[in-house]
Amino acid sequence: MSATLEKGVNAFREVMDAPIASFFNSCVHCGLCADACLFHTETGDPKYTPIYKLEPLKKIWKQEYTLLGKLASMVGLSQPVTDAELEEWSPLVYDSCTLCGRCTVMCPVGNDITYMVRKMREGMAASGHAPAGVIEATRKTIEQGSPMGILPKTFLAQVRDQSEETGIEIPVDQAGADYLVIMSSMEIMGYPEFLGSLARIFKQAGVSWTVSSEAFEATNSGIQIGVSDIARQIVMRIVDAAEKLGVKYVISPECGHAYTALRWDGPNLIGRPYKFGVVHVLELLDQLHKAGRLKTEGKTDEPLTLHDPCQIVRRGGVVAEPRNLLNMVASDFREMEDCGSYNWCCGGGGGVSANHRAEELRFKSFQVKKRQIEGTGVGLMVTACANCRNVLEEGLEHYHMDTKMIGITELVAEYLKEDKPA
Amino acid sequence: MSHMDLLIWARGTGLQLALGVFVAGMVLRFFEIYSLGRKPDLSTPRPGKAWAGWKTIVSRSFPHPSMAKRTYPTVVLGYIFHIGFFVALLFFAPHIRLFRETAGFGWPALPTPLVDAMALAAIIGLLMTLGYRLYHPVKRFLSNFDDYLAWTLTLLPLLTGYMAFHHLLLPYTLMLAVHILSVELLLVFLPFTKLVHVGTIFVSRWYNGDMLGHKGARL
């Protein structure tokens, strides 16, 4: 599909809806959203003010969806959106926005700016102004099945490894299982122990589960780049496999945007509700613990803190669960400033970590996280998103910090109560 | 035309015309919004979605502490101006009397000295918001003609009302006529500037809360 300005403008028209029109009407240019955004607070550059990132979309709205704007266009008082303008906005829409949603919860007039940036990316991608790194990740997802180019045989090799490591058989393509486990690219390549940890937890809790050789990839770069057709294809892969295997639930892994893509965007992309439920792994672990099926013993004395992944916590409503789980296995859990629903993003969500152009800006913006971590005085940080984890590890390295990181599922599995032989 | 003729016109024909433009303008703006529609969300909502939009209409008036700490001048000036403006508009005895004469019902007024002080606070607050807008890099960067027009249109009724009440600058009758005309100017422009947020803020907050509530996220 060749990208043109016309296609981009058409995409802008297609995403225009009542919420967006009300948001543009309501903005009073108070500038508070700038103080909610790490790309502004850490650089001080006004161009990173969240609402400003939407100027081209606002222009189309004003020119085509308001009477006054139409009149102004007719008498030549306003200029059409140009390719040069969209190119100028590309770094604002893709590099300096992780779709973290902090501006959305802070805006006093109630503008969901994140929603609009996500929609604006549709027009940016259609007009050929998406960054190369994100385009590449999306191409690989379509051609090979995953943004990092992970083939089914690579995934199955990791499954075998984890099976051998834990001594627990990991079911593959088992029809009729209750839960289907999928993983993000970052987990498959960087943190495969997530799968081993789950295998151990599920064995203890007696959970019926499986992985799929066809749908194992949870990352949805179609959403990050803003191409709904591709996003639909990626979601459909999981839906087909889940419905073929007849599972009751698909478990969204420790990956923030994957959760948003599967749990909230998916049914809207494919145009129908699923025949299965979607549960985040933290929700499931918390449920199992409350039902007495997940038992741990002992706690780590090491002081630790939690980085809240935006899409799971602020935009996913999974706030208490990670805290319940941490308090179960840690005796010195310290919250960081602005924790929970108002936490600061790692700086690499929403496709930013796949976008090489954004790297310098991402490290600069990491300073807020650095201050947060230093404020807690701990040497261990837990999170529940493999992409956050990777971005945080890169940031820690960049600033020569010796904070260690671990995923929640992995940490919980470390304190699993061993079943004693009868 | 005498001062009294001007006042009579402003209170009669002028006000009717301005209200007509205001109502038609607001209807148009809301039509522009709602006619765009909204796709239904097919994902399964979490419990608690039902009231999330309505709750957010109220809750978004109170900034989160971490935000207020960073942006307290905007927050404080915002409160002072908005509260002062609405107290002057809705609880000044002559305003209520005018409303009662037209609509047949009214409500109790606040003591005039209090309203006077609040109006003065709103004027000072508004002057300070302009200063802050020109000083603050982000606000200055974002500002356009609409922002300065809206500021002027909002200040004029407050200022002329205050001066009329204190018999400053112009003869009382003339100042009162100018005051009413400035209100009419505000009414005519309101739907077509960022001042339209007096109505659309409820729509935006509702949508925002509804979308967050759908996910069970904190509002």
Side-chain angles (χ1 to χ4, degrees):
Chain A
M1 186 186 85
S2 63
T4 61
L5 177 64
E6 195 192 341
K7 281 182 184 160
V9 172
N10 276 333
F12 285 155
R13 290 179 185 131
E14 234 164 79
V15 298
M16 206 68 74
D17 61 5
I20 294 182
S22 78
F23 298 153
F24 281 144
N25 266 306
S26 296
C27 179
V28 292
H29 284 169
C30 71
L32 288 187
C33 51
D35 283 285
C37 177
L38 73 167
F39 294 103
H40 172 262
T41 60
E42 302 315 301
T43 62
D45 192 333
K47 77 175 177 194
Y48 294 132
T49 303
I51 196 72
Y52 182 69
K53 297 169 189 169
L54 296 158
E55 278 298 311
L57 185 65
K58 185 174 186 176
K59 205 163 159 183
I60 298 281
W61 162 73
K62 198 170 244 176
Q63 287 173 354
E64 301 188 12
Y65 298 91
T66 71
L67 181 67
L68 271 197
K70 280 183 205 160
L71 292 175
S73 298
M74 273 164 63
V75 296
L77 279 176
S78 65
Q79 300 300 316
V81 169
T82 63
D83 251 321
E85 193 177 352
L86 295 185
E87 189 55 30
E88 191 188 336
W89 253 264
S90 176
L92 299 182
V93 179
Y94 287 103
D95 304 14
S96 72
C97 179
T98 58
L99 306 176
C100 86
R102 214 167 176 272
C103 50
T104 289
V105 294
M106 297 293 194
C107 174
V109 298
N111 288 350
D112 191 342
I113 299 173
T114 319
Y115 173 82
M116 293 195 280
V117 172
R118 162 69 188 86
K119 296 286 182 189
M120 184 168 162
R121 285 187 180 183
E122 296 276 337
M124 296 297 281
S127 59
H129 297 289
V134 191
I135 294 175
E136 179 63 11
T138 311
R139 191 186 60 76
K140 277 190 185 155
T141 312
I142 290 307
E143 290 173 3
Q144 303 170 2
S146 120
M148 287 169 78
I150 300 165
L151 300 171
K153 62 176 185 196
T154 320
F155 171 68
L156 293 172
Q158 296 284 41
V159 170
R160 266 195 311 277
D161 277 359
Q162 289 301 312
S163 226
E164 278 166 22
E165 202 146 302
T166 55
I168 300 166
E169 197 200 333
I170 296 175
V172 180
D173 296 328
Q174 189 169 304
D178 287 345
Y179 292 92
L180 169 66
V181 168
I182 54 173
M183 290 170 78
S184 66
S185 292
M186 202 63 86
E187 281 172 318
I188 300 169
M189 295 312 287
Y191 316 107
E193 53 278 12
F194 168 75
L195 193 60
S197 303
L198 269 190
R200 294 179 53 214
I201 293 170
F202 287 170
K203 189 182 171 205
Q204 189 204 55
V207 171
S208 136
W209 67 297
T210 184
V211 294
S212 160
S213 59
E214 287 165 19
F216 50 85
E217 175 59 72
T219 315
N220 194 322
S221 49
I223 287 184
Q224 296 172 347
I225 195 173
V227 182
S228 288
D229 292 349
I230 293 175
R232 182 181 308 123
Q233 276 187 51
I234 298 170
V235 167
M236 211 55 214
R237 231 178 250 164
I238 301 170
V239 173
D240 284 341
E243 293 183 351
K244 197 170 83 184
L245 290 170
V247 296
K248 295 194 185 102
Y249 293 94
V250 173
I251 302 175
S252 186
E254 292 199 2
C255 173
H257 285 272
Y259 180 64
T260 287
L262 187 64
R263 176 70 175 86
W264 309 115
D265 288 352
N268 297 308
L269 288 165
I270 68 168
R272 66 167 172 88
Y274 300 145
K275 293 176 186 148
F276 53 88
V278 176
V279 61
H280 190 268
V281 63
L282 296 183
E283 293 177 280
L284 177 61
L285 296 187
D286 192 47
Q287 284 167 20
L288 291 174
H289 173 61
K290 283 183 176 145
R293 292 167 67 186
L294 165 60
K295 299 183 207 82
T296 55
E297 63 184 351
K299 288 184 179 188
T300 175
D301 296 330
E302 191 177 353
L304 52 80
T305 189
L306 170 70
H307 163 77
D308 293 280
C310 310
Q311 302 301 318
I312 296 169
V313 180
R314 175 164 41 249
R315 291 182 78 72
V318 184
V319 189
E321 289 86 344
R323 292 168 167 80
N324 296 343
L325 294 167
L326 276 184
N327 285 321
M328 192 168 97
V329 295
S331 60
D332 192 2
F333 163 41
R334 302 180 195 171
E335 292 277 18
M336 40 177 85
E337 200 184 358
D338 298 336
C339 63
S341 292
Y342 299 92
N343 211 327
W344 295 87
C345 178
C346 66
V352 173
S353 65
N355 175 3
H356 312 301
R357 191 175 71 184
E359 206 163 88
E360 199 187 323
L361 180 64
R362 171 156 68 87
F363 284 132
K364 193 154 196 206
S365 306
F366 187 76
Q367 292 176 97
V368 60
K369 191 51 69 181
K370 182 173 180 278
R371 287 196 301 275
Q372 279 188 295
I373 298 167
E374 285 167 352
T376 63
V378 308
L380 180 63
M381 180 160 54
V382 187
T383 193
C385 168
N387 188 59
C388 287
R389 182 169 167 187
N390 185 58
V391 168
L392 292 165
E393 281 174 349
E394 284 182 19
L396 293 168
E397 197 186 317
H398 183 84
Y399 287 101
H400 309 293
M401 295 166 71
D402 51 12
T403 315
K404 288 177 293 166
M405 293 213 60
I406 190 169
I408 294 190
T409 308
E410 233 183 294
L411 183 67
V412 167
E414 274 183 28
Y415 291 90
L416 214 53
K417 190 172 178 182
E418 296 296 335
D419 286 328
K420 300 207 171 60
Chain B
M1 189 188 255
S2 72
H3 295 170
M4 190 48 84
D5 290 340
L6 185 64
L7 179 62
I8 289 167
W9 186 86
R11 284 193 60 161
T13 317
L15 191 57
Q16 280 165 8
L17 284 174
L19 280 171
V21 174
F22 170 75
V23 171
M26 287 308 267
V27 169
L28 170 72
R29 300 317 305 273
F30 275 96
F31 175 75
E32 284 172 0
I33 293 172
Y34 284 115
S35 63
L36 279 166
R38 180 193 184 203
K39 285 189 187 135
D41 194 334
L42 300 172
S43 65
T44 315
R46 284 190 200 271
K49 174 188 161 109
W51 291 97
W54 302 103
K55 279 186 201 159
T56 306
I57 287 180
V58 179
S59 68
R60 212 45 85 84
S61 299
F62 308 99
H64 185 259
S66 86
M67 192 63 175
K69 200 167 57 190
R70 282 181 168 272
T71 58
Y72 65 90
T74 304
V75 174
V76 171
L77 289 175
Y79 272 121
I80 291 176
F81 156 70
H82 280 98
I83 293 172
F85 187 91
F86 281 105
V87 165
L89 174 68
L90 299 175
F91 294 101
F92 184 49
H95 291 169
I96 300 171
R97 203 178 312 127
L98 176 70
F99 189 88
R100 194 182 308 243
E101 278 167 20
T102 323
F105 69 97
W107 52 90
L110 285 174
T112 302
L114 177 67
V115 175
D116 188 41
M118 297 289 272
L120 185 61
I123 292 169
I124 295 169
L126 211 46
L127 290 169
M128 287 172 77
T129 59
L130 179 67
Y132 198 47
R133 185 168 282 284
L134 294 168
Y135 161 80
H136 193 285
V138 168
K139 287 178 198 281
R140 196 174 58 232
F141 178 76
L142 291 178
S143 298
N144 54 26
F145 177 73
D146 186 10
D147 293 298
Y148 299 110
L149 175 67
W151 181 87
T152 311
L153 291 170
T154 313
L155 179 70
L156 286 177
L158 276 168
L159 202 60
T160 52
Y162 187 81
M163 290 197 293
F165 178 70
H166 289 278
H167 296 259
L168 298 171
L169 205 64
L170 296 177
Y172 176 74
T173 310
L174 180 59
M175 190 51 106
L176 189 59
V178 170
H179 173 59
I180 295 170
L181 288 171
S182 74
V183 172
E184 286 158 11
L185 205 60
L186 176 66
L187 283 172
V188 166
F189 276 93
L190 191 143
F192 307 104
T193 60
K194 71 168 184 179
L195 297 171
V196 74
H197 79 271
V198 300
T200 60
I201 191 172
F202 300 103
V203 185
S204 300
R205 285 182 178 181
W206 190 89
Y207 279 133
N208 188 311
D210 187 62
M211 291 194 238
L212 287 172
H214 184 86
K215 300 172 179 174
R218 190 168 162 171
L219 303 176

